[in-house]
Amino acid sequence: MTLLITLNDFTGPLVPSSWTELVRVVFISVVVYAFVIASHRVVGKRAASQMNNFDWIVTVAMGAITGSTILSESITLVEGLLAVFTLLALQYAVTRATVQWSWFRHAVQAGPRLLYYEGVPLKDAMKRERVTESEVLHAARDAGHRSLSEVSAVVLEADGTLSVLPTPDDGLGTAAAPLLSNVNGLPDYLPPIDDPARIDADESSEDDDDGSSSDDAGSSDAGTPLKPVG
């Protein structure tokens, strides 16, 4: 028995049997592309975003559906367009519900989690989210920092990205507290925004700045020679 191996055995046919198949691919591609653009215009900018895992799932699923609709003859054009419309409608309904009801938002969305705060890596949170210290260091480098002393906090966002909050120039690390109000895993020692110690520190810092400014102004006046009048 002779075993014949050809290129088609590995790759399949490289050229369609008729030109009508190519015309079909071009026509369906144009229709699907126009439908997706029109649907995004109707649903809004959120349809093309990736703010959370659900958005990412919809984006990936839409890519798979459009590709299958264009290339597979077993899927009709109407079926493909209906699948795209259904996904966009689901995304619109879910995002509207997350804005409307907080309980629904907590049910379908994973909240951001604090991984690093004021020089302390929160190893339990990192272990729970399966994030390594090297990945935290990479995020700090990617944000343009040369040392972790320049970093106030690192947060794992709902979309899986790492946000790096820099240390304020005045040295008050608690300045990051307002942005961490909705972050999970806040340490117990994180002072509130209206902490008296922080307010006193802010006022003393402003007084020092005012005093240094007045001293500079006084020294500048004293060092300037007086010119005789007339």
Side-chain angles (χ1 to χ4, degrees), residues 34-79:
F35 180 80
V36 171
I37 290 180
S39 300
H40 278 74
R41 291 289 295 174
V42 173
V43 177
K45 301 181 182 68
R46 179 62 187 267
S49 67
Q50 295 187 15
M51 296 185 181
N52 52 55
N53 293 336
F54 185 79
D55 294 334
W56 178 81
I57 292 172
V58 170
T59 302
V60 174
M62 283 185 56
I65 291 173
T66 54
S68 300
T69 304
I70 293 172
L71 298 177
S72 178
E73 296 183 0
S74 61
I75 301 176
T76 64
L77 177 60
V78 175
E79 291 174 341

Side-chain angles (χ1 to χ4, degrees), residues 139-151:
R141 292 193 301 268
D142 192 51
H145 299 291
R146 296 172 296 178
S147 171
L148 286 178
S149 61
E150 301 176 357
V151 177

Side-chain angles (χ1 to χ4, degrees), residues 151-176:
V151 177
S152 177
V154 177
V155 178
L156 178 65
E157 302 292 352
D159 61 352
T161 59
L162 291 174
S163 298
V164 180
L165 303 180
T167 301
D169 296 334
D170 56 10
L172 295 176
T174 54

Side-chain angles (χ1 to χ4, degrees), residues 50-202:
Q50 295 187 15
M51 296 185 181
N52 52 55
N53 293 336
F54 185 79
D55 294 334
W56 178 81
I57 292 172
V58 170
T59 302
V60 174
M62 283 185 56
I65 291 173
T66 54
S68 300
T69 304
I70 293 172
L71 298 177
S72 178
E73 296 183 0
S74 61
I75 301 176
T76 64
L77 177 60
V78 175
E79 291 174 341
L81 296 182
L82 180 60
V84 171
F85 175 80
T86 303
L87 281 179
L88 291 176
L90 283 174
Q91 186 189 36
Y92 179 82
V94 169
T95 52
R96 289 284 296 182
T98 55
V99 174
Q100 193 73 22
W101 301 296
S102 59
W103 65 267
F104 187 84
R105 179 170 62 253
H106 295 310
V108 299
Q109 292 183 359
R113 181 167 294 276
L114 188 65
L115 302 180
Y116 177 91
Y117 182 72
E118 296 299 332
V120 180
L122 307 179
K123 295 186 178 180
D124 291 339
M126 295 169 64
K127 183 178 180 180
R128 179 177 179 179
E129 299 293 344
R130 301 189 301 277
V131 177
T132 63
E133 292 189 32
S134 61
E135 290 171 332
V136 174
L137 292 175
H138 171 75
R141 292 193 301 268
D142 192 51
H145 299 291
R146 296 172 296 178
S147 171
L148 286 178
S149 61
E150 301 176 357
V151 177
S152 177
V154 177
V155 178
L156 178 65
E157 302 292 352
D159 61 352
T161 59
L162 291 174
S163 298
V164 180
L165 303 180
T167 301
D169 296 334
D170 56 10
L172 295 176
T174 54
L179 291 178
L180 300 178
S181 59
N182 68 329
V183 175
N184 298 323
L186 291 177
D188 296 334
Y189 57 83
L190 182 63
I193 302 174
D194 55 351
D195 185 38
R198 179 184 172 189
I199 296 176
D200 294 340
D202 292 340

Side-chain angles (χ1 to χ4, degrees), residues 23-33 66 69-72 75-77:
V23 174
R24 173 190 174 276
V25 170
V26 173
F27 173 76
I28 294 181
S29 299
V30 173
V31 174
V32 171
Y33 180 74
T66 54
T69 304
I70 293 172
L71 298 177
S72 178
I75 301 176
T76 64
L77 177 60

